[in-house]
Amino acid sequence: MSALEGASPYIRAESNLAALGLDQMAASLPDYMRMVSEGDLEFCAALAEMTAAEVAAKEARVTRQRIRSAGFPYEKTLADFDWSFQPSVPRARVEELATLRFMERAENVLLVGSPGVGKTHLAIAVGIEAVRARREVRFMDCARLVDDLRDAQSRGILKKRLQYYAHSKLLIIDELGYLDIDEGGADLLFQLVSTRYEQRSTIITTNVGIGGWAKVFGDEVAASAIADRVCHHCHVIKITGRSYRLKDLPADSKAAPGAAGKEQL
Ligand code: ADP
Ligand code: MG
């Protein structure tokens, strides 16, 4: 005999909702029961509202999980971006990117600027919009991506790994140019960029303008082969301005050597 046999319909309903993991519905049950019994709401309307809250809570859970698995180093949105601090950022173009139309056309985005100007922040913000739109997003630091491909190559599973990255609806390659990449690394990156070319969108953040990529890759031919595929259908956004990280430092410390990094726009 069930423990709930003979229990009131309310107790049974509450117990069933809990067993099904429908916590929102279980929590709102007393309120809705009162509204229905007092004639303020029809049963079906109450059920529609209760299930809508449960659906919304489930969608929020799924989005949180997808944001976690995308691998963002931090979570920031366009709402967190202080446009007045960085007036060189073309707001309308960035907001257009957030509509994700560029992804429908498999176009790329190149965010160029010195350290701290908001490149990674904007890339993450667009990435989070894509996650909210239920697109599969992968964020990778460039050096880590090259290491990962190199590791796959040494284990004989490069093709599989390239397919894995080719599959992401949006790939964000962060910090290209902070570390130089050798010939083997450039070749792997070229293969990756080629698999995504005109098929899927890639966002790249870099502190080195395209003209400086030959130095990053140590080779003019590899650099232009990569740049060619990245830049063919590409939104290039150059950010010139102060580092947000240094915004609270007194004016004289902002001129400290190294603060501008490898800027080469
Ligand atoms: P980078 O250009 O080196 O990638 P980030 O985008 O990571 O720099 O920015 C460094 C930090 O400053 C992050 O915490 C980011 O959220 C913050 N930040 C940068 N620019 C802005 C801005 N205009 N408004 C608000 N926060 C910003
Ligand atoms: Mg960055």
Side-chain angles (χ1 to χ4, degrees), residues 90-108:
R91 180 172 185 167
R93 287 179 65 204
V94 172
E95 286 175 342
E96 164 62 27
L97 293 177
T99 67
L100 309 178
R101 279 191 279 263
F102 77 101
M103 287 178 65
E104 280 152 32
R105 299 188 290 258
E107 293 164 351
N108 298 323

Side-chain angles (χ1 to χ4, degrees), residues 74-76 80-86 89 113-124 174-175 178 205-206 239 242-245 247:
Y74 57 81
E75 285 173 37
K76 294 270 176 86
D80 302 316
F81 196 76
D82 179 354
W83 303 94
S84 62
F85 180 82
Q86 211 61 277
V89 175
S114 50
V117 294
K119 304 180 298 293
T120 301
H121 182 137
L122 293 174
I124 292 170
D174 193 38
E175 302 205 329
Y178 279 85
T205 81
T206 179
I239 311 175
R242 291 192 293 134
S243 166
Y244 194 84
R245 293 192 187 97
K247 76 177 166 53

